[in-house]
Amino acid sequence: RWKHAQGCLRESLHEQIDTPRCYRLERLPRAWPWEQIVALLRSIDRKEPGGHRDFTMLFLAARYGLRSSEVVRLRLDDIDWRAGTLRISQTKTKQALLLPLIDEAGDVLADYLRKARQPSPCRELFLRLRAPMGPIKPASMGGILEARIQRSGLPIKSTGTHGLRHSFAVHLLRQGVSTKSIGDALGHRRVESTAVYLRLAVEDLREVALPLPQNGRASELAFVDWRERVPRALFSKAKARPFRMTQFQSPFASFLDRYLAVRRALGRAFFNEERILRHWDDFLFRYHIGVAGFGARALQVWAGETSYLNANIRRNRLRVVRNFLLYYRRNHPRTWVPDSMSFPRSVPYRLPRLVSTAEMARVLTTARRLPPVPSNPLRAETVHLALALLFCCGLRRGELLRLRLKHYDEHDRTLRIEATKFHKSRLVPLHSSIARLWKHFLIQRGRRKLPVDLESPLIWSGRPEATLTGMSASGLKQNWQHLCVSCGVLDARGRTPTLHHLRHSMAVTALQRWYTAGINPQSKLPHLATYLGHVSPVSTHHYLHLTPGIRQAASRRFHQSCSGLFGTGGVK
């Protein structure tokens, strides 16, 4: 791209390079309970050859959270017995890390040097047992850990030596150590690197969860004509022309199939993109537009068929077609490609209509009045639990509808969200009130002889065709809008909040709660970001809105902290 911009390359070769899609923090950190780490170290017999060396290496990795490469590169000169420090040469950041030599670690190292380390001119701390004598390699430490786990007989699923580092970080978190201190001990340069381990700090994350709103006064359910109270735009939108083709039919058909196959091979799902390309392909087929006849006019006509959509959606549809045309131009240089500057400008998204705790309590109480249907006698209880999880746990709608009974750990009271947005998985600890609600709901399902096997969907609708998929998104949305209309939870234009607005409401309510409790909200933002499944608090800022309550609380906090700087009179 740089050489093309300089004019050294006539062709834009950078547009012909496909890169795989790599998602950050897809999997949960690999950590073991600290009790298992202690049991593993105690199981090592230090009287046998190599036992003392293996114990010392694994002890340092577990007690200091060192990487395997950092352990094997330790030298005798890195131990300062007089100052009581241990110097770590970090291979990842290329920086030296100075850690305190705790008494237990000093005793372990001294015992190893006196009894187990063979005399050698090598200055490395750990040496091979077999000839030729020399420093051990980083890859060997993984084999040492595997062998020691097998010989211990402990039920530990080995995930590599880095699991010891994760276990150390999680152990410190559960001891109440701050994220900044843990990052300094591990040698991290950014707080975001340490926040990864927050995903396993279940009890810390549980403090983010909201309790079930209580003491709500039920409202009368609206009648059959409740939709008439809501602006018609919510229910009568023009829809795209339906198509029934299962294969591409336009002159671009073969390249469209190849394009989708390449993108999916690189790790992209491309479900929405495929639907957009099928609409575009159907348009070309209907109007008999060939490769040579496709241009600005044809694209404008196709875009006009969806003029009822939001400008952001129309812009994205045009972007998907443009990306395909860039791919097609690799083999056909004369292909016309639209300029992205001509696409509709992005518009601000609709501001969320935040739902207060009192409003949510009224909605949940009213939800219990929903009448049962023949296919689902627990309709009221199902909708009540679904809305409670959305508000108290900040789940996305898709995450909720994909939940199975197997995703709940009754012992830890946690939900496991698997492969959600950007392929991420996370643990969502529940508040005790939500856990009781969950348990009561399962008991009712069992009494009604409804599916309770682990593969059953949590939000079950009872429809035969939905046995594996659960309630549909439109069904849950319709129940939510019915309840909002009945309870008067509407915005200034008479529109109901969307289900995603409950996620916004949860984040704002959690922030308000920390202000009220006198807790520094900045220290809790990493926990909120981890709970919501974000990579960093920067993504969470989208959900933090300056409500009147938060504005007043922030002003009071600023006054308490800084009033002394402005004299004895304070801030007026």
Side-chain angles (χ1 to χ4, degrees):
R1 184 187 297 112
W2 178 49
K3 288 297 182 181
H4 178 65
Q6 287 183 323
C8 300
L9 292 176
R10 297 180 59 184
E11 301 293 335
S12 54
L13 298 180
H14 61 278
E15 295 180 350
Q16 302 187 27
I17 300 176
D18 293 321
T19 56
R21 184 68 180 269
C22 298
Y23 301 94
R24 291 181 60 190
L25 309 181
E26 286 188 53
R27 299 179 180 178
L28 289 168
R30 302 162 295 178
W32 306 309
W34 191 250
E35 296 76 13
Q36 288 187 348
I37 302 296
V38 175
L40 174 63
L41 293 175
R42 289 177 178 174
S43 68
I44 300 176
D45 185 4
R46 282 180 270 180
K47 296 180 180 179
E48 65 177 12
H52 224 129
R53 183 203 64 178
D54 295 352
F55 173 83
T56 307
M57 292 176 65
L58 296 179
F59 174 85
L60 292 175
R63 199 64 184 85
Y64 283 95
L66 302 182
R67 303 177 180 92
S68 59
S69 58
E70 296 168 353
V71 172
V72 301
R73 285 186 172 88
L74 279 174
R75 301 170 61 88
L76 297 173
D77 306 319
D78 294 331
I79 308 174
D80 191 336
W81 299 99
R82 294 178 180 271
T85 58
L86 185 65
R87 183 178 181 274
I88 307 298
S89 299
Q90 292 186 289
T91 56
K92 189 173 183 178
T93 61
K94 308 300 181 184
Q95 294 180 351
L97 180 64
L98 201 63
L99 297 175
L101 185 63
I102 58 177
D103 294 340
E104 185 181 5
D107 294 341
V108 169
L109 286 171
D111 197 38
Y112 164 70
L113 292 174
R114 285 196 302 262
K115 300 179 181 179
R117 189 180 185 275
Q118 300 179 6
S120 171
C122 296
R123 301 298 294 174
E124 281 75 15
L125 191 60
F126 301 107
L127 306 176
R128 293 195 300 266
L129 298 178
R130 298 178 182 178
M133 188 68 64
I136 195 171
K137 295 182 179 180
S140 302
M141 191 169 171
I144 293 174
L145 177 61
E146 289 278 355
R148 291 300 173 181
I149 289 177
Q150 292 180 2
R151 297 179 65 175
S152 68
L154 296 171
I156 300 178
K157 184 178 180 181
S158 177
T159 55
T161 56
H162 215 65
L164 298 174
R165 182 175 173 88
H166 291 311
S167 303
F168 170 70
V170 175
H171 175 65
L172 292 183
L173 277 172
R174 292 174 178 171
Q175 296 297 318
V177 182
S178 66
T179 307
K180 178 65 170 60
S181 300
I182 296 175
D184 293 341
L186 295 177
H188 290 159
R189 291 179 292 185
R190 298 186 305 168
V191 178
E192 287 80 3
S193 301
T194 314
V196 173
Y197 303 107
L198 282 174
R199 303 168 72 190
L200 295 180
V202 174
E203 296 307 320
D204 290 339
L205 294 178
R206 199 183 305 279
E207 298 178 359
V208 181
L210 300 181
L212 182 69
Q214 302 286 350
N215 303 324
R217 186 175 182 180
S219 302
E220 292 294 332
L221 283 173
F223 294 104
V224 181
D225 59 346
W226 63 270
R227 292 181 178 84
E228 297 181 359
R229 307 185 190 180
V230 184
R232 300 297 298 172
L234 286 176
F235 300 100
S236 59
K237 280 187 176 180
K239 296 184 179 180
R241 181 183 183 276
F243 60 93
R244 297 182 179 180
M245 293 188 303
T246 58
Q247 297 180 348
F248 294 110
Q249 301 289 335
S250 71
F252 294 96
S254 60
F255 277 88
L256 284 167
D257 288 325
R258 192 183 310 173
Y259 174 70
L260 292 177
V262 169
R263 287 297 183 268
R264 285 168 176 163
L266 293 172
R268 293 167 170 82
F270 256 52
F271 297 125
N272 185 52
E273 287 81 356
E274 180 182 5
R275 187 177 68 254
I276 294 173
L277 291 174
R278 287 194 180 278
H279 277 285
W280 180 65
D281 178 82
D282 177 65
F283 165 78
L284 298 178
F285 180 74
R286 283 188 285 115
Y287 288 95
H288 307 286
I289 299 176
V291 176
F294 181 76
R297 176 59 182 168
L299 186 67
Q300 185 178 4
V301 174
W302 176 71
E305 291 186 351
T306 55
S307 58
Y308 60 89
L309 293 175
N310 182 277
N312 295 334
I313 299 178
R314 287 186 281 121
R315 181 180 179 85
N316 181 62
R317 289 168 62 90
L318 292 170
R319 181 189 60 82
V320 170
V321 174
R322 182 179 184 273
N323 288 341
F324 165 73
L325 293 175
L326 289 173
Y327 173 82
Y328 185 80
R329 193 171 64 176
R330 299 178 184 179
N331 298 89
H332 304 82
R334 296 182 179 273
T335 303
W336 176 80
V337 177
D339 185 2
S340 59
M341 297 298 293
S342 63
F343 294 170
R345 290 186 178 182
S346 300
V347 297
Y349 288 96
R350 171 188 170 186
L351 291 177
R353 199 293 194 183
L354 299 178
V355 181
S356 66
T357 303
E359 290 176 331
M360 197 63 202
R362 190 163 67 250
V363 169
L364 291 176
T365 307
T366 308
R368 295 188 178 276
R369 293 190 173 186
L370 290 172
V373 293
S375 59
N376 187 6
L378 293 180
R379 176 197 175 196
E381 292 80 359
T382 303
V383 174
H384 181 271
L385 177 61
L387 298 181
L389 289 173
L390 289 175
F391 180 78
C392 299
C393 302
L395 300 182
R396 300 179 179 94
R397 182 185 64 183
E399 296 171 350
L400 172 71
L401 297 179
R402 288 192 295 269
L403 279 178
R404 301 275 192 254
L405 298 184
K406 66 178 181 180
H407 292 146
Y408 179 63
D409 188 332
E410 187 176 0
H411 179 266
D412 292 335
R413 293 178 294 157
T414 57
L415 284 176
R416 184 181 181 92
I417 307 298
E418 296 181 345
T420 181
K421 189 176 182 181
F422 300 125
H423 291 202
K424 290 181 177 57
S425 298
R426 72 181 190 275
L427 296 178
V428 179
L430 304 183
H431 190 272
S432 58
S433 58
I434 301 296
R436 289 193 297 268
L437 179 64
W438 183 296
K439 184 177 181 180
H440 180 66
F441 176 71
L442 292 184
I443 293 175
Q444 289 181 307
R445 283 180 64 155
R447 290 175 179 174
R448 295 295 186 112
K449 297 183 179 180
L450 301 179
V452 291
D453 57 285
L454 296 180
E455 292 296 333
S456 299
L458 172 66
I459 310 303
W460 188 69
S461 65
R463 295 180 292 112
E465 64 273 14
T467 303
L468 297 178
T469 59
M471 184 179 291
S472 64
S474 59
L476 181 61
K477 174 184 176 182
Q478 187 174 6
N479 282 291
W480 164 246
Q481 290 177 340
H482 188 188
L483 292 171
C484 287
V485 171
S486 302
C487 299
V489 182
L490 307 171
D491 63 8
R493 296 175 56 183
R495 299 175 299 182
T496 62
T498 66
L499 287 170
H500 197 68
H501 290 173
L502 293 179
R503 185 171 165 90
H504 289 260
S505 303
M506 181 268 178
V508 172
T509 304
L511 189 65
Q512 178 70 58
R513 186 178 56 172
W514 292 325
Y515 270 117
T516 304
I519 300 174
N520 182 7
Q522 294 293 334
S523 64
K524 288 294 185 178
L525 284 183
H527 296 77
L528 179 59
T530 304
Y531 195 87
L532 294 177
H534 296 152
V535 174
S536 72
V538 176
S539 303
T540 312
H541 284 180
H542 173 68
Y543 294 89
L544 303 181
H545 306 278
L546 191 62
T547 62
I550 292 180
R551 184 186 296 111
Q552 294 176 4
S555 298
R556 286 195 299 269
R557 179 178 175 81
F558 175 77
H559 182 272
Q560 295 171 0
S561 302
C562 304
S563 59
L565 301 176
F566 299 93
T568 56
V571 180
K572 296 183 180 179

